[in-house]
Amino acid sequence: MHKRPASPADLPRSVPIFPLSGALLLPFSHRPLNIFEPRYVRMIDDALAGDRLIGLIQPLDTTEESPRGRADLQKVGCVGRLTHWEENGDDRYFVILEGVTRFELVSELTVMTPYRQATISATPFVNDFDREHGEEAVDRTRFLKMMRDYAEFGEFDLNWDEIEKTGTADLVNFCCMVSPYGAREKQVLLEAKSLADRAETLIALAEFEMAKAGEGAPVLQ
């Protein structure tokens, strides 16, 4: 069994690249994906036969969910590790990616595979391997207030018993991943320099959305 990488040195020099608009993956968080395009079915097959690592990254042009060819990509993505997979019918997978670390895209490789591959560097994000790094700088009380206000605004229930038991880093990253914002906002959340910056960015987005709705203007998309 391949172990979860514990430092940048544990990562391969190159990984398969999965360009996907609006898809945010953060360290230690989990993202379910339905895989059905032949190029990505092959990618999952190869990853399962290897180190089970995939680089999730957004394309610059977000008009297509996953553009073909060598469309320009963002400079920062997140390595995900396949922790769960199911075969759903013919040539389809349901998988869960667990975020390992953010990475910088160094260069794209010329390959024969139907999916893209690139060399990456996770050295700038060494703190991503520490699950609780930066928690002490987050204003958890302020973040929880935002969650309560947003739950009331959106008229949905939250399991507050579970929330109180959840670590601050996991809570912030999970909320970012399930937030309703677009590709541009998701990239800003991904590239936040610290956990506290990410939390404050999400608070600002939520407050802006609620304020606009209160003024009768369209909510942020």
Side-chain angles (χ1 to χ4, degrees), residues 183-199:
R184 179 174 58 87
E185 291 81 11
K186 292 287 179 72
Q187 192 67 27
V188 171
L189 291 168
L190 175 70
E191 296 185 21
K193 293 187 180 300
S194 68
L195 185 68
D197 286 345
R198 186 174 297 137

mmCIF file of all heavy atoms in Angstrom, residues 183-199:
data_model
loop_
_atom_site.group_PDB
_atom_site.id
_atom_site.type_symbol
_atom_site.label_atom_id
_atom_site.label_comp_id
_atom_site.label_asym_id
_atom_site.label_seq_id
_atom_site.Cartn_x
_atom_site.Cartn_y
_atom_site.Cartn_z
ATOM 1 N N ALA A 183 -15.083 29.945 -9.934
ATOM 2 C CA ALA A 183 -13.709 29.490 -10.136
ATOM 3 C C ALA A 183 -12.688 30.515 -9.638
ATOM 4 O O ALA A 183 -11.680 30.162 -9.033
ATOM 5 C CB ALA A 183 -13.491 29.179 -11.608
ATOM 6 N N ARG A 184 -12.938 31.781 -9.916
ATOM 7 C CA ARG A 184 -11.979 32.821 -9.505
ATOM 8 C C ARG A 184 -11.847 32.884 -7.990
ATOM 9 O O ARG A 184 -10.727 32.930 -7.450
ATOM 10 C CB ARG A 184 -12.437 34.172 -10.042
ATOM 11 C CG ARG A 184 -11.531 35.340 -9.659
ATOM 12 C CD ARG A 184 -11.976 36.615 -10.360
ATOM 13 N NE ARG A 184 -13.356 36.960 -10.035
ATOM 14 C CZ ARG A 184 -13.713 37.672 -8.980
ATOM 15 N NH1 ARG A 184 -12.795 38.093 -8.123
ATOM 16 N NH2 ARG A 184 -14.975 37.966 -8.759
ATOM 17 N N GLU A 185 -12.970 32.855 -7.295
ATOM 18 C CA GLU A 185 -12.933 32.895 -5.828
ATOM 19 C C GLU A 185 -12.291 31.625 -5.262
ATOM 20 O O GLU A 185 -11.543 31.685 -4.279
ATOM 21 C CB GLU A 185 -14.343 33.069 -5.270
ATOM 22 C CG GLU A 185 -14.964 34.426 -5.542
ATOM 23 C CD GLU A 185 -15.563 34.553 -6.929
ATOM 24 O OE1 GLU A 185 -15.683 33.525 -7.632
ATOM 25 O OE2 GLU A 185 -15.914 35.684 -7.320
ATOM 26 N N LYS A 186 -12.577 30.473 -5.881
ATOM 27 C CA LYS A 186 -11.991 29.217 -5.410
ATOM 28 C C LYS A 186 -10.463 29.251 -5.540
ATOM 29 O O LYS A 186 -9.744 28.754 -4.664
ATOM 30 C CB LYS A 186 -12.562 28.037 -6.206
ATOM 31 C CG LYS A 186 -14.052 27.763 -5.956
ATOM 32 C CD LYS A 186 -14.286 27.154 -4.598
ATOM 33 C CE LYS A 186 -15.756 26.878 -4.307
ATOM 34 N NZ LYS A 186 -16.292 25.767 -5.069
ATOM 35 N N GLN A 187 -9.974 29.861 -6.622
ATOM 36 C CA GLN A 187 -8.520 29.947 -6.793
ATOM 37 C C GLN A 187 -7.894 30.860 -5.744
ATOM 38 O O GLN A 187 -6.806 30.582 -5.222
ATOM 39 C CB GLN A 187 -8.182 30.442 -8.204
ATOM 40 C CG GLN A 187 -6.714 30.304 -8.579
ATOM 41 C CD GLN A 187 -6.257 28.864 -8.696
ATOM 42 O OE1 GLN A 187 -7.069 27.974 -8.991
ATOM 43 N NE2 GLN A 187 -4.978 28.617 -8.472
ATOM 44 N N VAL A 188 -8.586 31.945 -5.418
ATOM 45 C CA VAL A 188 -8.089 32.841 -4.366
ATOM 46 C C VAL A 188 -8.017 32.099 -3.034
ATOM 47 O O VAL A 188 -7.033 32.223 -2.290
ATOM 48 C CB VAL A 188 -8.994 34.084 -4.243
ATOM 49 C CG1 VAL A 188 -8.620 34.905 -3.010
ATOM 50 C CG2 VAL A 188 -8.878 34.943 -5.498
ATOM 51 N N LEU A 189 -9.028 31.303 -2.724
ATOM 52 C CA LEU A 189 -9.028 30.529 -1.483
ATOM 53 C C LEU A 189 -7.893 29.504 -1.484
ATOM 54 O O LEU A 189 -7.230 29.291 -0.463
ATOM 55 C CB LEU A 189 -10.377 29.823 -1.307
ATOM 56 C CG LEU A 189 -11.566 30.738 -1.020
ATOM 57 C CD1 LEU A 189 -12.881 29.964 -1.163
ATOM 58 C CD2 LEU A 189 -11.466 31.365 0.374
ATOM 59 N N LEU A 190 -7.652 28.887 -2.629
ATOM 60 C CA LEU A 190 -6.572 27.904 -2.740
ATOM 61 C C LEU A 190 -5.221 28.548 -2.479
ATOM 62 O O LEU A 190 -4.371 27.982 -1.784
ATOM 63 C CB LEU A 190 -6.594 27.261 -4.127
ATOM 64 C CG LEU A 190 -5.453 26.284 -4.441
ATOM 65 C CD1 LEU A 190 -5.600 25.009 -3.619
ATOM 66 C CD2 LEU A 190 -5.412 25.952 -5.931
ATOM 67 N N GLU A 191 -5.007 29.729 -3.049
ATOM 68 C CA GLU A 191 -3.690 30.354 -2.996
ATOM 69 C C GLU A 191 -3.464 31.203 -1.752
ATOM 70 O O GLU A 191 -2.400 31.822 -1.609
ATOM 71 C CB GLU A 191 -3.479 31.206 -4.246
ATOM 72 C CG GLU A 191 -3.449 30.387 -5.537
ATOM 73 C CD GLU A 191 -3.122 31.223 -6.761
ATOM 74 O OE1 GLU A 191 -2.543 32.316 -6.602
ATOM 75 O OE2 GLU A 191 -3.435 30.774 -7.883
ATOM 76 N N ALA A 192 -4.431 31.248 -0.843
ATOM 77 C CA ALA A 192 -4.263 32.042 0.385
ATOM 78 C C ALA A 192 -2.946 31.690 1.074
ATOM 79 O O ALA A 192 -2.593 30.516 1.200
ATOM 80 C CB ALA A 192 -5.434 31.791 1.325
ATOM 81 N N LYS A 193 -2.227 32.705 1.519
ATOM 82 C CA LYS A 193 -0.885 32.483 2.070
ATOM 83 C C LYS A 193 -0.905 31.765 3.415
ATOM 84 O O LYS A 193 0.083 31.134 3.807
ATOM 85 C CB LYS A 193 -0.155 33.824 2.206
ATOM 86 C CG LYS A 193 0.161 34.475 0.859
ATOM 87 C CD LYS A 193 1.014 35.704 1.031
ATOM 88 C CE LYS A 193 1.339 36.350 -0.311
ATOM 89 N NZ LYS A 193 2.077 35.439 -1.194
ATOM 90 N N SER A 194 -2.010 31.855 4.131
ATOM 91 C CA SER A 194 -2.090 31.195 5.433
ATOM 92 C C SER A 194 -3.524 30.739 5.668
ATOM 93 O O SER A 194 -4.455 31.172 4.979
ATOM 94 C CB SER A 194 -1.661 32.149 6.557
ATOM 95 O OG SER A 194 -2.604 33.194 6.697
ATOM 96 N N LEU A 195 -3.692 29.887 6.659
ATOM 97 C CA LEU A 195 -5.029 29.430 7.025
ATOM 98 C C LEU A 195 -5.887 30.604 7.486
ATOM 99 O O LEU A 195 -7.072 30.689 7.146
ATOM 100 C CB LEU A 195 -4.938 28.374 8.129
ATOM 101 C CG LEU A 195 -6.252 27.709 8.528
ATOM 102 C CD1 LEU A 195 -6.778 26.820 7.398
ATOM 103 C CD2 LEU A 195 -6.076 26.890 9.813
ATOM 104 N N ALA A 196 -5.282 31.521 8.237
ATOM 105 C CA ALA A 196 -6.028 32.699 8.707
ATOM 106 C C ALA A 196 -6.478 33.562 7.528
ATOM 107 O O ALA A 196 -7.609 34.057 7.509
ATOM 108 C CB ALA A 196 -5.164 33.520 9.662
ATOM 109 N N ASP A 197 -5.605 33.723 6.529
ATOM 110 C CA ASP A 197 -5.993 34.482 5.330
ATOM 111 C C ASP A 197 -7.152 33.801 4.609
ATOM 112 O O ASP A 197 -8.065 34.467 4.118
ATOM 113 C CB ASP A 197 -4.806 34.609 4.377
ATOM 114 C CG ASP A 197 -3.759 35.590 4.858
ATOM 115 O OD1 ASP A 197 -4.070 36.383 5.775
ATOM 116 O OD2 ASP A 197 -2.626 35.564 4.334
ATOM 117 N N ARG A 198 -7.097 32.478 4.532
ATOM 118 C CA ARG A 198 -8.176 31.736 3.862
ATOM 119 C C ARG A 198 -9.497 31.923 4.610
ATOM 120 O O ARG A 198 -10.548 32.135 4.003
ATOM 121 C CB ARG A 198 -7.810 30.256 3.769
ATOM 122 C CG ARG A 198 -8.819 29.424 2.964
ATOM 123 C CD ARG A 198 -8.319 27.987 2.783
ATOM 124 N NE ARG A 198 -7.094 27.992 2.008
ATOM 125 C CZ ARG A 198 -6.018 27.246 2.287
ATOM 126 N NH1 ARG A 198 -6.021 26.442 3.333
ATOM 127 N NH2 ARG A 198 -4.950 27.316 1.513
ATOM 128 N N ALA A 199 -9.444 31.837 5.937
ATOM 129 C CA ALA A 199 -10.654 32.011 6.746
ATOM 130 C C ALA A 199 -11.228 33.416 6.564
ATOM 131 O O ALA A 199 -12.444 33.583 6.383
ATOM 132 C CB ALA A 199 -10.339 31.747 8.214
#
